[in-house]
Amino acid sequence: MAEVGIDRRDDPTIPDAEDLYRRVVDERIVTEQATGCKRLSSQAFSDRRNEISVDLSSMISPEESLRLGLRCGGGPFRGIVAITAGQARDLDQAVLRDPIPDNPAHSLICGKKWLLAVSCG
Amino acid sequence: MMMVPNMSITASQPKPSPRGLADADVQFRHMEEPITDDAILSAKFLATKGNQAFQGSPGHLPWQRWAEGDSTSTMDVIPTTDLPTWLRACLPRLLRLCGLKPNWDSYGSPPPSLALVKGVISWLRLAEKETLPEPEVVPASAGGIQLEWYLGKRELEIEFTATGQIEYLRSDNERREEKEDVIKNLDDLRSLLGWLIG
């Protein structure tokens, strides 16, 4: 049986330059032991299902994306991080629309999770 | 060996809901010395919300069942005898993950379970590495826990999934090499932690 998220088709109507928003909570901000610098944990862009939920920047503002996250019980959030659809595709990920009732901007980055997590971590 | 008595905690205020736990101001207080011979405890639990305060008994970690609404049940115990310093230091942060509310990341993730925290501690104790730096502790998606070390030239992430799998990603920044795999046994884990500080 195929793994979930691996065989999803990329949506070419989403331009490479489109920012894909992802909400980040404090727990996903880590400190490098060697330097003391803050960085984003790879878990911010990781999902066991190989499908990562994001919001299309052309359809929603960062502020509204955060408000959506709070309304569904998440947070508090440190903020929004973004990668472009082109960056995701360069890592062999598919980017596709997945509108849901409360969030028509909802989309998915699909593919092997480590490829994306390693790059964004 | 001294036996640890079963103890219970009874809330003096209306029973808190899991949501109440998540909203509570939760603090852990380190105990300088273990209270019992065979082990136990490095954390004392105190949670407050408004004028409510719930305090666990030293040596017992009341989170899980309290969070589930059972305010009178016997508490779980996490043995901490012989834990290396780095692991003892990150224990409060590991336990704190259990207090995350469902959907804490807004993407459907549940909080890690206390059973998983116990499993993580057991694995790391058995690895018998005394001199590691304290890792970053990160809640993973789907209820997992990830430990992260960034030591400059070497970086290591170990993810303990809620389904019992242990995966790692190691990066050698000098050689520009990355490797990911599954940890199948203690030898794998020891080898990996040895690589990190080697």
Side-chain angles (χ1 to χ4, degrees):
Chain A
M1 189 172 67
E3 285 184 78
V4 172
I6 298 299
D7 296 330
R8 303 294 287 267
R9 292 264 180 99
D10 185 74
D11 181 346
T13 68
I14 301 173
D16 280 346
E18 176 92 30
D19 279 329
L20 309 175
Y21 293 150
R22 177 87 171 166
R23 294 179 288 273
V24 176
V25 296
D26 279 342
E27 287 82 0
R28 294 266 170 82
I29 307 293
V30 297
T31 303
E32 292 188 359
Q33 292 90 349
T35 64
C37 292
K38 298 287 186 184
R39 65 185 284 175
L40 191 61
S41 168
S42 63
Q43 281 294 328
F45 276 93
S46 182
D47 192 289
R48 303 302 305 175
R49 298 164 299 178
N50 294 312
E51 291 184 347
I52 298 170
S53 290
V54 291
D55 291 335
L56 294 179
S57 61
S58 60
M59 299 181 65
I60 195 170
S61 69
E63 293 80 7
E64 182 58 24
S65 180
L66 288 174
R67 277 193 289 271
L68 276 176
L70 290 170
R71 278 207 292 272
C72 68
F77 298 103
R78 177 68 67 93
I80 292 278
V81 295
I83 63 170
T84 67
Q87 288 172 316
R89 288 170 177 140
D90 286 345
L91 295 165
D92 293 329
Q93 309 288 305
V95 182
L96 52 124
R97 299 173 198 272
D98 184 43
I100 54 180
D102 290 338
N103 183 8
H106 184 259
S107 300
L108 296 171
I109 301 173
C110 299
K112 283 290 188 184
K113 71 181 179 68
W114 280 110
L115 292 174
L116 192 63
V118 168
S119 177
C120 297
Chain B
M1 186 169 66
M2 182 184 298
M3 295 300 293
V4 178
N6 288 332
M7 300 179 73
S8 64
I9 180 172
T10 303
S12 57
Q13 296 289 332
K15 197 159 55 176
S17 67
R19 188 58 173 275
L21 176 64
D23 292 338
D25 175 20
V26 177
Q27 300 175 348
F28 282 99
R29 295 177 177 175
H30 286 284
M31 307 297 290
E32 292 298 325
E33 298 293 336
I35 289 178
T36 55
D37 289 344
D38 61 342
I40 316 301
L41 69 159
S42 68
K44 183 176 181 181
F45 179 92
L46 174 66
T48 60
K49 182 185 180 187
N51 60 358
Q52 298 179 0
F54 306 94
Q55 186 166 332
S57 303
H60 296 78
L61 301 163
W63 281 128
Q64 187 75 8
R65 294 181 184 177
W66 188 55
E68 291 168 356
D70 182 354
S71 61
T72 60
S73 58
T74 301
M75 300 308 155
D76 288 298
V77 175
I78 296 179
T80 59
T81 294
D82 300 331
L83 285 187
T85 303
W86 63 270
L87 182 52
R88 185 181 289 266
C90 71
L91 184 58
R93 287 190 291 152
L94 280 166
L95 291 165
R96 196 182 182 96
L97 298 183
C98 301
L100 291 170
K101 55 192 174 184
N103 198 31
W104 54 273
D105 63 352
S106 77
Y107 297 116
S109 291
S113 67
L114 185 59
L116 179 60
V117 170
K118 287 180 174 179
V120 170
I121 293 169
S122 294
W123 271 84
L124 295 173
R125 171 197 280 119
L126 292 170
E128 298 176 330
K129 294 292 182 187
E130 299 295 329
T131 57
L132 288 177
E134 187 179 337
E136 289 292 294
V137 177
V138 180
S141 61
I145 294 172
Q146 182 161 293
L147 305 181
E148 304 182 7
W149 289 268
Y150 303 101
L151 305 187
K153 64 180 182 180
R154 290 184 176 177
E155 300 179 356
L156 175 63
E157 299 175 359
I158 300 178
E159 181 180 355
F160 297 80
T161 74
T163 56
Q165 185 149 308
I166 309 175
E167 301 174 355
Y168 75 88
L169 170 69
R170 73 179 203 192
S171 305
D172 187 319
N173 294 329
E174 284 187 340
R175 298 181 178 179
R176 302 183 66 82
E177 293 175 348
E178 289 177 343
K179 183 181 180 184
E180 60 163 309
D181 207 340
V182 173
I183 294 174
K184 303 179 194 70
N185 52 48
L186 266 178
D187 286 341
D188 287 352
L189 181 60
R190 289 180 181 129
S191 172
L192 199 56
L193 296 176
W195 168 86
L196 179 66
I197 57 176

